[in-house]
Each structure stands twice: as structure tokens, then as C-alpha cells.
Amino acid sequence: MRWNRFFTPGRVIAAGFAFLILLGTGLLMLPISHQSGQSLSFIDALFTATSGVCITGLSSIQCNAVLSGFGQAVLLLLIQIGGMGITTLGVGIILLTGKKIGIRERTLIKESLNQPSFQGILRLLKVMLMVTFGIEGAGTVLSFPIFVQDYPVGKAVWLSVFHSVSAFNNAGFDLIGGSSLAVYRNHVPMLLLTSALTICGGLGFVVMLNIAQKRRFRRFSLHTKVVLTMTVLLLTVGTLLLHATQHGLTWVQSFFYSAVTRTSGFSIYDLGDFSNASLLCMILLMFVGAAPGSTGGGIKTVSFAVLLLTTFAGLKGEDYINVFRRRLTAGTILRAVAVFLIGAGIIVCGTMILSITEN
């Protein structure tokens, strides 16, 4: 009984991610994971594994030059599991084997997907698996004609798979080398495809399921309406600001950066060459991030929307907040404020530490 009280769903999920990071670190340190003549230190392996599982896209190594095919496959699995959630994928495997899902597994799924109840949780999981592999498969097919123009067929297939998984899971890793997707900075299909995969992953599985079921905006749930509205708003404002503040960016490139900056982190130019205004715009987009229950990070679009609505209501002197004819509860507002303050606090502390240590 005490063990059940100690191993709460949140702790189990956190422990699962910690175990996955350590396992990934160990696998990436194996000689089989390195290119001939290359090696990987513990700190670089730990950083890469952590970045892959947490889908941040930051890397201290050039993956295509250091990692062998096996090492790249390990990184791909870390990205896939990190994006979907170790609990979600684990229970999905149990479903595929035909075994019964107990209340503990359902609780873990509910907590992992941030769902309010158990209703329809297994159906959501099944749809989540189908949507993930379906979109990643479509991304692979659409990426292949692009990569095959520059690489042999076998490598083009692998690059297509890796890029599709990385983009949909908002990971930002690539196997091209150099400065991320810089060689494709003027390749409109590649920029639009990468943006589309990133946006799909950033919407969240609950939203995609609701869109598939209802099909009309007026029939969507409140959550879906807010996510879609904020996604369009952030993409539009981000594109306009980046195009206005960064000389030389085309409209497609501005849209690409507006899409990938919030979550995935791909790049087609050296960010050191960007203006301070553009970098500030990117920082704000990164801070907001993607939707709840998605593969992206940030304080989430819904939290940001609640903060905006709360601010507008305060300016107008209103004691309540309505959105799409629905009144927000005090609990919803308090959670949004808490998420914002925690996120801002982490950034301030992290910035302070880096300012001291990297001075």
C-alpha cells in the first residue's frame, strides 16, 4: 500500500523519462553508436539523450558526423518515445499484444495526456498512435522526392524517415550536417513540409481527434477552438514580425521560422546574424510554445490565451472572462498564471546561471 502511495502517476512518468534518458545515454556511448574514428563522452551522450527525449533539438555534436546508423536509430527512438510519451507508447504496445489494460495503466495514460477523466482514454490512445504514424508516414513519402535529388536512394529513405519523425515530434534534430536545414533555405516545398509537420505535432492529439470527428469550427470543443485560434494568431503575427524585423527573409522563410521557432527549432540561417528585434520575437514565440497534449513545449497556447483574456478583462473592469460564449473558471485562470510564473521563473534563473558561468 505504501508503495502504491509513493509511486504516484506523476512520479512513475518522471521516473520513466529519467530511465529512458539514462538508457539512451548508455546506448549512445557504445562504440557501435559512433562513426569510425569518432567517440562520445558521457556528458555529450547525456546531453544528446536528454535533448532527444525532451524533444528540445539542442545538440553538442554533429549527429551525421559522429553517430553511426545504429546511433542515429537510437536517437530516433528517443525522439519518438519522448514526443509520444513513454507511458503512451508502453501502453500502446500492451494494446497491440491484446492484453487487458488495468486501472493503473489508464491512470498513467490520463496523467500523461493531461486528460480530465478516463472517458474515451483508450480510444484517444489508439487514435494518437494511428495519427502519429500516419502523419510521419506521409511526411516520409513527401520528403523522399526532395532528399533523393541530393542523396542515394537508401540514404534518402533514412533521411526522410528521420526528418519526418523529428519534425512531427518537434525535436529539431537533423542528419544533414552544417547549419540545420540551411542547404534548403530556398527550397519552398521543404520549408512548407517541415512547417506543416511541426504545426501538426504542435496542435495536440486531442485537437486533431476533435477536428476529425466534428469537422466544423462551430462544433469543435472549446479547447480545440482556442488552440486553433491561437495557432493561427501566433503564426500570422510571428510571420509579420519576423518579415518586418529581419532583412532578407522571404515570406515563406518568415512563415517557416514562425512555425518552427515555437517548438521544433530547425533553422535555415545562422541565428547570430539575426537582429535583436527578430531574436526577441523568437524568444516570445518559444516561450508560448505549442498546445497542451502535443509534442511541443512552452507554457502552451491555451495558457497564453487565458492570460491574454484575463488581461483584457482586467482592463475593461470585468469580473468574469468569456471565450466562445463559455465562462472560464477561477481554477483555469489560476493554473494559467501558475504555469506562466513557473516558466518565467525557470527562464530567469537559467539566464542568471548562464550569465554567471559563461561570462
Side-chain angles (χ1 to χ4, degrees):
M1 193 66 168
R2 291 181 179 178
W3 284 106
N4 289 335
R5 291 180 179 178
F6 179 78
F7 287 109
T8 61
R11 289 174 179 173
V12 171
I13 293 171
F17 272 93
F19 172 77
L20 183 61
I21 289 172
L22 293 176
L23 177 61
T25 301
L27 291 174
L28 289 176
M29 290 184 68
L30 294 175
I32 193 176
S33 295
H34 311 147
Q35 297 275 11
S36 178
Q38 298 289 335
S39 62
L40 201 60
S41 66
F42 171 77
I43 191 65
D44 283 331
L46 177 63
F47 186 89
T48 303
T50 303
S51 184
V53 172
C54 298
I55 52 178
T56 62
L58 297 173
S59 180
S60 58
I61 63 172
Q62 191 168 321
C63 297
N64 68 312
V66 176
L67 298 180
S68 64
F70 179 81
Q72 294 169 11
V74 169
L75 180 58
L76 182 70
L77 288 175
L78 294 177
I79 293 171
Q80 185 72 82
I81 298 173
M84 294 183 62
I86 188 170
T87 304
T88 302
L89 193 61
V91 176
I93 294 174
I94 296 176
L95 278 175
L96 293 176
T97 60
K99 295 182 178 180
K100 187 177 180 180
I101 304 299
I103 187 64
R104 185 171 181 80
E105 288 77 14
R106 292 171 186 262
T107 303
L108 287 173
I109 298 172
K110 183 176 79 71
E111 293 296 326
S112 178
L113 299 180
N114 194 29
Q115 293 301 295
S117 68
F118 293 103
Q119 184 177 3
I121 199 71
L122 291 184
R123 182 184 179 188
L124 174 61
L125 176 60
K126 294 176 181 178
V127 172
M128 180 177 172
L129 293 172
M130 290 189 296
V131 168
T132 296
F133 296 126
I135 294 180
E136 289 176 352
T140 299
V141 172
L142 295 174
S143 297
F144 177 74
I146 300 174
F147 286 119
V148 79
Q149 298 178 19
D150 304 312
Y151 300 94
V153 174
K155 186 171 184 180
V157 170
W158 177 239
L159 287 174
S160 301
V161 172
F162 193 96
H163 181 73
S164 181
V165 172
S166 180
F168 178 74
N169 287 283
N170 286 240
F173 282 94
D174 71 271
L175 298 177
I176 300 173
S179 180
S180 191
L181 301 179
V183 293
Y184 294 102
R185 65 177 54 150
N186 295 315
H187 199 293
V188 174
M190 171 59 89
L191 298 184
L192 293 179
L193 175 60
T194 304
S195 300
L197 288 169
T198 299
I199 293 170
C200 287
L203 286 177
F205 300 100
V206 175
V207 172
M208 287 188 280
L209 175 60
N210 191 236
I211 292 174
Q213 290 177 332
K214 303 302 181 180
R215 299 184 181 182
R216 295 182 181 179
F217 187 84
R218 63 182 180 83
R219 298 173 59 188
F220 292 161
S221 66
L222 176 61
H223 174 79
T224 299
K225 289 179 180 178
V226 173
V227 168
L228 292 178
T229 301
M230 289 305 301
T231 298
V232 172
L233 177 64
L234 289 170
L235 286 172
T236 302
V237 173
T239 300
L240 293 173
L241 288 178
L242 287 169
H243 191 268
T245 57
Q246 184 57 40
H247 177 72
L249 282 186
T250 66
W251 283 108
V252 174
Q253 291 172 342
S254 300
F255 175 78
F256 169 82
Y257 268 114
S258 181
V260 303
T261 297
R262 284 195 296 124
T263 48
S264 65
F266 289 107
S267 184
I268 53 177
Y269 288 103
D270 186 350
L271 294 184
D273 297 332
F274 276 60
S275 66
N276 289 333
S278 296
L279 293 176
L280 177 60
C281 178
M282 290 183 178
I283 290 172
L284 295 176
L285 290 173
M286 286 188 286
F287 183 68
V288 175
S294 69
T295 60
I299 65 170
K300 306 302 183 183
T301 52
V302 173
S303 297
F304 184 62
V306 173
L307 291 173
L308 288 179
L309 292 170
T310 302
T311 302
F312 293 148
L315 291 174
K316 292 188 292 184
E318 297 177 348
D319 297 327
Y320 57 88
I321 302 172
N322 282 334
V323 53
F324 294 110
R325 300 180 181 179
R326 296 280 297 275
R327 181 171 296 186
L328 298 182
T329 64
T332 300
I333 299 171
L334 289 175
R335 283 193 295 271
V337 173
V339 169
F340 170 78
L341 291 177
I342 292 172
I346 292 174
I347 290 175
V348 170
C349 291
T351 302
M352 181 66 69
I353 293 172
L354 289 175
S355 298
I356 295 173
T357 59
E358 301 299 322
N359 187 8

